[in-house]
């Protein structure tokens, strides 16, 4: 009856994966796993993402605020999460919902004051919650004093803090052409943007400056170095006020590179100079704030986890979309094939995702975590024509998969993606606008979000009669809210579900359901079976592992029929099971 962890599954599991395209690197359940270097609390942490403008409005002006978040901390704690990621709350003209920062050192008045931020950190800490802020290092707002000074004709401290070419009318080299903005100021030159025109790129230098273009400063230019020091102080400022770390926006988009064009320039550069900056910050955090956590929006774990970040969001890549996003419109990375694996229609494909995931996971698993976000402010809501049961299966996946789970506010109650025809405020082009609507607290006025008149709200609230809300779901033990809480609690109680526990795919076939994998940590082994499709499906796999019984931890108590080492399991449609081998 003893577990045989040394049994070799590689050959058979490789066959069961059944696709030449998925080359599973680790198909032996060994229970061996090494937690990447991080503070202890990160090792099984679950995060909750809050979009401050639409979480809770404490003063009736129609926009959420920091005091509103403070008032909801007990609710957040009740979810069982460990930490909160706050989208930007800094002073900004809000051309990109606050990602365009005009003063890094100041809370935007619409959200409150720096004292409110301090109170939020303190109140969260009293409840055992951590809070990380959004660190936007790659650009500021055009309204930043730094940029306004940089845009002047005279030479000053900020002249080189942004990337300007030296001729207002002469086009920059081809690879950068669509990133330069002409005619903004009297300064003779065009500035480089890092996203919208209102987000001028801060100057982290050029990896291989072209000597024909003197304005391409090297990455160790004194002005670049001065900017880097200032950015460290920005981090220190919020850490000293009580933050527990940060999420780095567009973390890969700092140093520029020749021959990299278009969006790649913003999202897909892997320059050593960029890594070096983050490595310095990581060192600073180790020394000055040893309990802190850094997660990047880079979507290239091989670079991001190279001693830079503890974790990297892996969602701007070919594969994440195959999981959840069935919309035909997507931002930045093209168009959907129209099918998502986690959908009742059952037309998804898990192997494309898994192949790309393993390609990053296998070489990085001892270095840091890969985060597959459970929704965020840049994608359509997971609740896009999906039922609570569909969503629970998605959360069962997200919470049992390796890495640090991030749950987007409102997804715990099944908030819906709202129409893309709704207002596109503050740069929220579709589908982002429909995913940023106010949190639904009750079925009262404005669904309990705000006492403002409905037309004063930041975005309208869901108008559906049956719009889900916290108050109703609290009362129903079988609500999505309560099911989500149970999954989060399970993650904390099972060592095999720790963020770093071993991951072994057991059954993942092209265009096939279900998807089955094991997580293992020492002697604890958990098997996860996921069948989001409406049709019954069967999996056959080998765990070559001696156990006397299975104990279902969550989901349906499926029958594991075992013959020799081969397990067969029939999985009804829209069903998942998290099973412990005992
Ligand atoms: C990534 C943020 O998540 C997104 O909301 C923003 O628009 C872009 N960075 C550019 O600022
Ligand atoms: Ca408010």
């Amino acid at each position: 009856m003893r577990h045989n962890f040394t049994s070799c599954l590689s050959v058979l599991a490789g066959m069961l994966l059944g696709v030449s395209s998925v080359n599973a690197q680790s198909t032996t359940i060994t229970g061996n796993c090494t937690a990447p270097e991080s503070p202890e609390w990160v090792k099984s942490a679950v995060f909750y993402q809050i979009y401050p403008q639409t979480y809770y409005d404490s003063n009736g002006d129609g926009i959420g605020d920091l005091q509103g978040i403070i008032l909801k901390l007990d609710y957040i704690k009740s979810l069982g999460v460990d930490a909160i990621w706050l989208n930007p709350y800094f002073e900004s003209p809000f051309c990109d919902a606050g990602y365009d920062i005009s003063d890094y050192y100041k809370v935007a008045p619409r959200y409150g004051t720096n004292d409110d931020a301090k109170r939020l950190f303190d109140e969260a800490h009293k409840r055992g919650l951590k809070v990380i802020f959004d660190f936007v290092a790659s650009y500021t707002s055009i309204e930043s004093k730094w940029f306004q000074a940089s845009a002047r004709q005279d030479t000053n401290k900020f002249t080189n803090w942004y990337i300007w070419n030296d001729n207002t009318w002469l086009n920059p080299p081809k690879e950068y052409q669509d990133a330069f903005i002409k005619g903004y100021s009297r300064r003779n030159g065009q500035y480089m943007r890092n996203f919208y025109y209102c987000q001028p790129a801060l100057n982290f230098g050029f990896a291989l400056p072209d000597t024909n273009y003197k304005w391409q400063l090297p990455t160790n230019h004194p002005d670049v170095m001065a900017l880097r020091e200032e950015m460290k102080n920005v981090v220190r400022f919020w850490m000293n006020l009580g933050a527990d770390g940060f999420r780095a926006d567009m973390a890969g988009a700092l140093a520029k590179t020749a021959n990299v064009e278009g969006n790649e320039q913003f999202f897909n550069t892997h320059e050593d100079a960029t890594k070096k900056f983050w490595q310095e910050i990581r060192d600073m955090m180790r020394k000055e704030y040893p309990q802190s956590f850094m997660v990047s929006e880079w979507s290239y774990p091989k670079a991001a986890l190279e001693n830079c970040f503890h974790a990297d969001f892996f969602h701007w890549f070919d594969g994440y979309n195959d999981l959840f996003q069935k919309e035909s419109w997507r931002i930045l990375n093209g168009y959907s094939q129209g099918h998502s694996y986690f959908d009742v229609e059952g037309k998804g494909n898990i192997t494309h995702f898994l192949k790309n995931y393993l390609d990053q996971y296998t070489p990085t698993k001892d270095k840091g975590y890969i985060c597959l976000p459970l929704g965020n402010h840049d994608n359509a809501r997971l609740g896009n024509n999906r039922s609570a049961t569909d969503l629970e299966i998605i959360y069962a996946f997200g919470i049992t998969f390796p890495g640090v789970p991030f749950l987007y506010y409102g997804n715990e109650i099944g908030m819906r993606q709202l129409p893309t025809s709704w207002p596109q405020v503050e740069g929220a082009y579709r589908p982002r606008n429909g995913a940023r609507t106010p949190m639904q607290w009750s079925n009262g006025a404005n669904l309990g979000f705000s006492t403002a008149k409905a037309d004063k709200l930041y975005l309208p609230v869901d108008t559906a009669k049956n719009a889900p809300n916290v108050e109703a779901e609290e009362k129903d033990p079988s609500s999505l809210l309560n099911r989500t809480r149970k999954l989060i609690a399970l993650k904390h109680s099972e060592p095999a579900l720790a963020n770093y526990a071993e991951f072994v795919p057991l059954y993942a076939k092209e265009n096939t359901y279900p998807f089955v994998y094991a997580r293992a940590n020492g002697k604890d082994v958990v098997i996860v079976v996921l069948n989001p499709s409406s049709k019954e499906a069967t999996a056959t796999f080998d765990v070559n592992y001696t156990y006397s019984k299975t104990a279902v931890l969550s989901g349906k108590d499926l029958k594991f029929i075992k013959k020799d080492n081969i397990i067969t399991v029939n999985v009804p449609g829209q069903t998942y099971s998290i099973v412990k081998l005992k």
Side-chain angles (χ1 to χ4, degrees):
M1 216 147 354
R2 208 42 260 148
H3 309 159
N4 178 6
F5 285 102
T6 53
S7 57
C8 179
L9 292 178
S10 28
V11 177
L12 190 54
M15 279 158 52
L16 289 167
L17 280 168
V19 269
S20 49
S21 53
V22 175
N23 182 16
Q25 305 285 315
S26 158
T27 47
T28 305
I29 301 177
T30 65
N32 295 335
C33 46
T34 313
E37 182 219 299
S38 80
E40 197 56 35
W41 66 269
V42 170
K43 295 180 181 169
S44 62
V46 177
F47 275 74
Y48 186 63
Q49 181 191 342
I50 294 183
Y51 203 60
Q53 42 274 65
T54 46
Y55 199 60
Y56 186 58
D57 173 17
S58 72
N59 60 354
D61 64 358
I63 296 187
D65 42 60
L66 298 187
Q67 171 62 11
I69 298 170
I70 294 172
L71 292 173
K72 296 297 182 184
L73 283 172
D74 288 333
Y75 166 76
I76 297 164
K77 179 70 184 172
S78 81
L79 299 174
V81 298
D82 304 273
I84 298 168
W85 156 33
L86 292 176
N87 287 100
Y89 51 70
F90 314 97
E91 192 179 84
S92 166
F94 296 101
C95 130
D96 184 16
Y99 275 97
D100 47 325
I101 297 171
S102 50
D103 187 344
Y104 282 111
Y105 297 102
K106 194 174 166 216
V107 167
R110 76 185 200 183
Y111 297 135
T113 62
N114 287 16
D115 285 345
D116 291 327
K118 181 168 172 18
R119 272 195 316 116
L120 171 55
F121 300 141
D122 292 346
E123 289 297 321
H125 293 161
K126 278 186 202 159
R127 292 161 176 83
L129 291 167
K130 311 274 184 188
V131 183
I132 65 169
F133 65 96
D134 216 312
F135 180 37
V136 186
S138 79
Y139 51 83
T140 67
S141 155
I142 39 174
E143 291 189 18
S144 158
K145 288 204 177 78
W146 302 355
F147 183 70
Q148 290 302 318
S150 190
R152 290 205 311 257
Q153 248 171 323
D154 60 284
T155 303
N156 60 64
K157 175 180 167 188
F158 300 101
T159 300
N160 285 332
W161 280 33
Y162 296 81
I163 301 171
W164 294 85
N165 75 356
D166 52 13
N167 191 315
T168 300
W169 305 113
L170 200 66
N171 284 335
K174 187 175 152 286
E175 62 261 44
Y176 303 117
Q177 251 170 49
D178 74 343
F180 274 81
I181 308 293
K182 285 192 179 105
Y184 173 77
S185 75
R186 288 194 182 169
R187 176 171 172 163
N188 184 20
Q190 309 167 28
Y191 71 85
M192 189 173 187
R193 67 180 174 96
N194 240 14
F195 199 67
Y196 289 142
Y197 83 96
C198 56
Q199 290 157 312
L202 283 164
N203 195 354
F204 287 81
F206 284 74
L208 290 170
D210 183 334
T211 44
N212 294 317
Y213 299 104
K214 291 269 174 299
W215 52 269
Q216 296 190 7
L217 302 186
T219 54
N220 62 358
H221 186 280
D223 293 342
V224 170
M225 299 311 277
L227 162 71
R228 289 167 49 142
E229 287 312 305
E230 181 72 30
M231 296 316 281
K232 288 181 191 164
N233 288 335
V234 171
V235 173
R236 288 192 180 104
F237 181 83
W238 294 105
M239 294 303 293
N240 291 344
L241 212 68
D244 299 288
F246 59 82
R247 172 263 193 191
D249 182 82
M250 289 174 60
L254 305 188
K256 303 301 173 204
T257 323
N259 301 320
V260 176
E261 294 181 29
N263 281 331
E264 295 283 293
Q265 190 60 251
F266 305 143
F267 280 95
N268 207 16
T269 53
H270 312 139
E271 283 310 335
D272 283 350
T274 299
K275 283 188 242 172
K276 198 153 173 288
F277 172 73
W278 293 118
Q279 285 161 350
E280 277 174 27
I281 301 250
R282 176 79 175 263
D283 273 349
M284 172 183 115
M285 302 300 264
R286 271 192 198 104
K287 284 191 202 109
E288 298 175 30
Y289 311 100
Q291 286 307 308
S292 64
F293 173 69
M294 301 165 55
V295 55
S296 49
E297 182 200 38
W298 196 321
S299 282
Y300 194 71
K302 285 182 192 170
L305 302 179
E306 222 176 273
N307 208 11
C308 301
F309 292 89
H310 296 103
D312 184 32
F313 280 114
F314 197 39
H315 58 313
W316 300 130
F317 85 102
D318 189 17
Y320 177 81
N321 287 336
D322 290 354
L323 294 174
F324 311 133
Q325 286 185 267
K326 52 192 174 181
E327 301 74 32
S328 59
W329 24 261
R330 287 177 179 160
I331 63 171
L332 295 170
N333 49 354
Y335 290 87
S336 156
Q337 294 158 357
H339 303 294
S340 116
Y341 189 76
F342 286 91
D343 201 74
V344 279
E345 66 168 7
K347 290 189 180 158
N349 183 16
I350 199 68
T351 55
H352 185 60
F353 155 76
L354 194 57
K355 180 178 177 298
N356 288 336
Y357 177 82
L358 288 173
D359 178 48
Q360 296 283 333
Y361 171 77
T362 307
T364 61
K365 65 183 164 49
D366 297 340
K367 299 181 180 173
Y369 296 107
I370 294 179
C371 306
L372 300 169
L374 291 169
N376 77 8
H377 61 294
D378 288 331
N379 288 294
R381 283 236 180 231
L382 299 176
N384 195 2
N385 293 318
R386 286 195 177 96
S387 67
T389 303
D390 300 334
L391 291 172
E392 186 186 1
I393 299 171
I394 290 182
Y395 304 161
F397 163 76
I399 286 170
T400 62
F401 220 63
V404 185
F406 277 73
L407 180 69
Y408 187 50
Y409 82 95
N411 282 358
E412 73 275 23
I413 55 168
M415 275 176 63
R416 299 186 304 138
Q417 169 71 12
L418 292 168
T420 51
S421 54
W422 282 26
Q424 310 218 353
V425 295
E426 299 184 351
Y429 48 69
R430 72 176 186 177
R432 313 201 294 182
N433 57 340
R436 297 177 175 183
T437 61
M439 179 68 179
Q440 298 160 197
W441 295 104
S442 71
N443 67 3
N446 300 325
L447 301 184
F449 163 66
S450 168
T451 55
K453 285 203 177 122
D455 63 358
K456 291 277 177 296
L457 301 185
Y458 178 83
L459 273 169
V461 296
D462 190 350
T463 49
K465 274 214 172 68
N466 60 353
N469 68 75
V470 173
E471 194 177 75
E473 294 202 21
E474 286 285 9
K475 293 181 193 139
D476 173 4
S478 67
S479 65
L480 182 61
L481 173 62
N482 284 317
R483 287 187 263 163
T484 306
R485 283 178 170 142
K486 282 188 190 137
L487 282 167
I488 295 172
L490 180 63
K491 179 179 182 71
H492 288 133
S493 66
E494 281 303 320
L497 297 181
N499 294 340
Y500 59 89
E502 186 183 29
F503 167 64
V504 184
L506 294 173
Y507 187 86
K509 285 192 173 188
E510 205 148 7
N511 301 317
T512 299
Y513 291 77
F515 176 32
V516 184
Y517 51 87
R519 303 292 312 282
N521 188 349
K523 291 183 174 155
D524 287 285
V525 178
V526 162
I527 307 275
V528 181
V529 182
L530 302 161
N531 181 18
S533 134
S534 62
K535 295 183 210 75
E536 183 177 278
T538 302
T540 306
F541 54 93
D542 180 356
V543 288
N544 199 2
Y545 172 85
T546 316
Y547 62 92
S548 59
K549 57 179 180 182
T550 57
V552 65
L553 301 175
S554 185
K556 196 167 174 67
D557 193 359
L558 298 173
K559 254 204 172 45
F560 278 43
I561 304 159
K562 190 161 186 263
K563 209 166 167 219
D564 302 323
N565 283 328
I566 308 289
I567 293 175
T568 302
V569 59
N570 288 325
V571 199
Q574 282 180 286
T575 299
Y576 78 95
S577 187
I578 304 174
V579 174
K580 188 161 184 163
L581 302 186
K582 294 199 166 185

